[in-house]
């Protein structure tokens, strides 16, 4: 058994361990969101650097194709698996796989979507980062040998923290998880979700300043 797992089982109650894991899931999801933001920004800078973005340019026609090609090459030669962004994959894991999400989804969705979006592909950042956060929660829970119910909570923590981290919106992250993923969540499960979303939001504001993601 992993020494950290052995120590936590000896010194922490189950409730305390869930709180610690929800905090770690929040931090991990927030860092993944910052990584995705950085990849998108870097790709955008490469494409638009030295060009007038208000004028027609052949680069803006070719760049999305290049981004899609790079993403496909990454999936085919590096991941070698279907990464399948989207909430449907999370719901499938919850309903059919007891919340187990493959480990590569903790990073593969960030890189593939970062390449696509950064080069101008017409997709959004929400689905890949939600899958990434859920995968972080799922795999961290699996490392610590959490039961099925706790694993579901950690998957929800990852999803809510991902939304909070990418959009600086903790309430939206909570509502997304409660409405879409965890239909029968109990009041005792609310605290881990709060811990994850708040920790993720703090990281987001630390890295990207106090300005709201979408200011009025």
């Amino acid at each position: 058994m992993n020494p950290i797992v052995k120590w936590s089982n000896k010194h922490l109650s189950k409730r305390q361990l869930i709180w610690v894991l929800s905090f770690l899931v929040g931090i991990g999801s927030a860092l993944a969101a910052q990584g995705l933001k950085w990849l998108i920004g870097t790709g955008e800078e490469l494409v638009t650097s030295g060009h007038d973005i208000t004028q027609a340019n052949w680069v803006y026609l070719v760049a999305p194709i290049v981004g899609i090609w790079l993403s496909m090459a990454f999936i085919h030669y590096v991941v070698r698996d279907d990464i399948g962004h989207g909430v449907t994959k999370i719901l499938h894991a919850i309903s059919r796989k007891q919340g187990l999400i493959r480990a590569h989804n903790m990073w593969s969705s960030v890189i593939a979507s970062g390449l696509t979006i950064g080069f101008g592909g017409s997709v959004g950042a929400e689905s890949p980062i939600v899958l990434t956060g859920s995968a972080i929660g799922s795999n961290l829970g699996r490392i610590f040998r959490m039961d099925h119910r706790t694993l579901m909570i950690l998957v929800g923590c990852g999803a809510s923290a991902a939304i909070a981290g990418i959009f600086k919106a903790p309430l939206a992250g909570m509502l997304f998880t409660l409405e879409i993923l965890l239909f029968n969540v109990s009041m005792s499960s609310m605290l881990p979700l709060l811990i994850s979303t708040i920790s993720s939001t703090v990281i987001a504001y630390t890295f990207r300043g106090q300005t709201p993601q979408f200011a009025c």
Side-chain angles (χ1 to χ4, degrees), residues 13-24 154 188 191-192 195-196:
S13 67
K14 182 180 178 180
R15 179 175 297 181
Q16 291 172 332
L17 180 57
I18 293 174
W19 293 346
V20 172
L21 292 180
S22 63
F23 174 75
L24 295 177
L154 293 176
S188 62
L191 184 55
I195 293 173
S196 291

Side-chain angles (χ1 to χ4, degrees), residues 47-48 50-61:
V47 172
T48 60
H51 302 287
D52 185 357
I53 61 175
T54 62
Q55 301 294 325
N57 194 309
W58 65 269
V59 173
Y60 303 140
L61 178 63

Side-chain angles (χ1 to χ4, degrees), residues 57-203:
N57 194 309
W58 65 269
V59 173
Y60 303 140
L61 178 63
V62 175
I65 300 174
V66 173
I68 293 172
W69 182 85
L70 290 173
S71 179
M72 292 175 61
F74 168 74
I75 294 170
H76 182 73
Y77 293 106
V78 178
V79 180
R80 298 182 180 181
D81 189 20
D82 175 26
I83 63 175
H85 310 314
V87 176
T88 53
K89 188 159 188 175
I90 304 172
L91 293 174
H92 178 74
I94 291 174
S95 62
R96 299 297 179 87
K97 298 182 178 180
Q98 297 186 329
L100 299 178
I101 302 175
R102 294 189 177 185
H104 70 72
N105 285 120
M106 294 189 292
W107 51 270
S108 59
S109 296
V110 168
I111 296 176
S113 59
L115 290 171
T116 303
I117 300 170
F119 280 80
S122 181
V123 293
E126 179 182 349
S127 290
I129 199 60
V130 166
L131 178 57
T132 299
S134 297
I136 291 172
S138 174
N139 284 275
L140 191 60
R142 182 162 50 184
I143 290 173
F144 283 83
R145 300 182 179 181
M146 294 289 100
D147 57 72
H148 173 68
R149 181 178 178 277
T150 304
L151 203 61
M152 295 299 100
I153 295 173
L154 293 176
V155 168
C157 286
S160 58
I163 294 291
I166 200 74
F167 296 124
K168 296 183 181 177
L171 183 57
M174 285 280 295
L175 293 176
F176 173 86
T177 298
L178 294 175
E179 182 180 0
I180 305 299
L181 300 181
L182 303 178
F183 302 101
N184 297 316
V185 66
S186 63
M187 291 303 297
S188 62
S189 305
M190 294 292 289
L191 184 55
L193 292 176
L194 283 170
I195 293 173
S196 291
T197 53
I198 291 172
S199 59
S200 180
T201 305
V202 169
I203 294 294

